[in-house]
Amino acid sequence: MTALLLLPLLLPFALPPLARRALDRLTPVAALWSVTGCAVLLAGCSAAALGLFILPGLLELPLFAALGELVHPLRTASDAFVVPAAAASAGALAVCGWALVRSATGQVRAFRAARAEAGRGPAAGDLRVVDSPYPDAYALPGRPHRVVVTTAMLRSLDGSEREVLFAHERAHLAGGHHYALVAAELAAHCHPALRRVRDTVGLAAERAADEAAAVAVGDRRLTARAIARAALAGRAARTARPGFAPGAATGPVPQRVQALLAAPRSPRAGRAVAALLVACAAVSCVASVTGTADVHHRVEVAQGEERP
C-alpha cells in the first residue's frame, strides 16, 4: 500500500517538463486542456494519498479506533512510520487548505473589484472602456462576459491592432480559458511541483487566444505586431484584476510572437506527449484507487467484517 500511495505524490514532479513539451508539440488549445486536466487529476490524487496516509495514524489512537468500531488492531506498517507519516500528511493538507482558501478569497475580491470597475465604464456591446492612464486589456468572465480595455491601451494601438486585441480577448471568453486558469491555480496549491505548471497553462491560454485572433483577422503578422505593441504598452499596467482574467499583454510575449510568425503546428506532432500525459494521470488515478481499496479492506478486517 505504501509504495502505491507514494506514486500520486511523486508523479506531479514529472508534469512540468511534460507540460512544456506538450506546449511545444501540441496545438495551443490541445496543450491547454490536456495539461490542465492532467494537473487537476494529479492534484486530486496527491490530496487523496495524503488523506490515506492520515487515516491509519488516526486509527492508531483509541478514540478514533472506537469511533471506527475496530475490534482488531489495524494491520499497518510499523508505528515508527505510520504516526510520522500521518502527522506530516496532516500538516501538508493543512498548508494546502490554507493556501487554497487564501487564493480563492483573493481572487474573489479581485474579481468583484474588476466587475465594479468595468461597470462604471462606457459600454459598446461586450466591450467596456475604463478611463485609466495605464494601458491594459483583459477578458473578464461573468454574466455577461466583458472585454475590458483602458483608454491608455486604446491610444497605444491603431485601428487594425485594436481589432486584433478585441479578437484575442473574445477568444479567451469564447474558449472558456478562465476555467483552465482557475483549475491550474487550485492545482498549484495542492502540490508544490504543480506551481510551475500554472505558468505553462497561462502561456497555453495566451497562445490559444493568439491563434484564434490570427484566424479572426486573417493576418498572423498583424496579430504578432499587435500583441507585441500591446505588451510593450501594458508593462506599466496597474489595473486590479483576478489571475483568471487573461490579458493580451501577459506571458512571455517574445515566445508568443515567435510562434505567430512560425507556421501553425500539425496536430499530429504531439501524439507521444499526449499519450504520456494520459499515462501519467492514469497511473496516479489507479494507484490512488488501489490504495483506497486496500485501506478500506484493512479497516473492514479490523472491524471483524472480513477475514484477512
Side-chain angles (χ1 to χ4, degrees):
M1 180 191 72
T2 302
L4 281 175
L5 293 181
L6 286 176
L7 279 175
L9 300 178
L10 296 176
L11 282 171
F13 290 101
L15 186 56
L18 277 178
R20 291 191 295 269
R21 183 65 63 87
L23 189 55
D24 290 339
R25 298 293 181 88
L26 297 172
T27 62
V29 172
L32 172 65
W33 293 109
S34 60
V35 171
T36 301
C38 188
V40 170
L41 287 173
L42 291 180
C45 291
S46 65
L50 290 175
L52 290 173
F53 275 120
I54 294 173
L55 183 59
L58 287 178
L59 293 178
E60 291 289 330
L61 302 176
L63 174 62
F64 289 96
L67 290 175
E69 299 179 349
L70 302 188
V71 296
H72 304 295
L74 185 68
R75 293 191 302 111
T76 62
S78 166
D79 288 352
F81 170 79
V82 170
V83 175
S89 299
L93 278 179
V95 170
C96 291
W98 175 245
L100 279 171
V101 170
R102 286 189 61 187
S103 176
T105 302
Q107 293 294 319
V108 169
R109 188 181 300 115
F111 175 70
R112 289 176 176 173
R115 291 290 296 187
E117 182 182 43
R120 291 192 293 267
D126 63 346
L127 184 64
R128 291 294 184 272
V129 179
V130 176
D131 187 14
S132 172
Y134 302 107
D136 198 11
Y138 54 92
L140 188 62
R143 295 184 179 179
H145 293 330
R146 303 295 188 202
V147 173
V148 183
V149 60
T150 64
T151 51
M153 179 62 81
L154 291 177
R155 289 193 296 266
S156 301
L157 306 177
D158 61 30
S160 58
E161 292 167 346
R162 292 175 189 171
E163 291 302 316
V164 171
L165 182 69
F166 299 154
H168 176 99
E169 304 304 346
R170 289 181 177 124
H172 279 309
L173 296 172
H177 298 166
H178 47 284
Y179 294 118
L181 296 175
V182 168
E185 176 69 20
L186 295 178
H189 295 295
C190 294
H191 196 287
L194 299 178
R195 295 172 188 169
R196 291 178 289 168
V197 177
R198 176 175 50 189
D199 295 335
T200 304
V201 170
L203 176 56
E206 295 303 326
R207 288 273 309 279
D210 291 343
E211 293 294 332
V215 171
V217 301
D219 190 335
R220 297 181 68 85
R221 297 189 68 85
L222 170 62
T223 304
R225 186 177 79 239
I227 294 300
R229 290 193 63 182
L232 287 174
R235 288 182 301 177
R238 296 184 184 180
T239 307
R241 56 184 168 98
F244 58 82
T250 58
V253 176
Q255 186 174 344
R256 292 168 54 196
V257 170
Q258 184 179 8
L260 281 168
L261 296 178
R265 186 169 293 108
S266 169
R268 297 182 179 181
R271 287 181 176 177
V273 178
L276 286 175
L277 287 173
V278 172
C280 188
V283 169
S284 185
C285 290
V286 169
S288 297
V289 171
T290 305
T292 301
D294 182 74
V295 171
H296 182 261
H297 175 71
R298 291 171 187 264
V299 171
E300 287 187 331
V301 170
Q303 290 172 335
E305 298 180 6
E306 289 189 11
R307 294 183 178 182

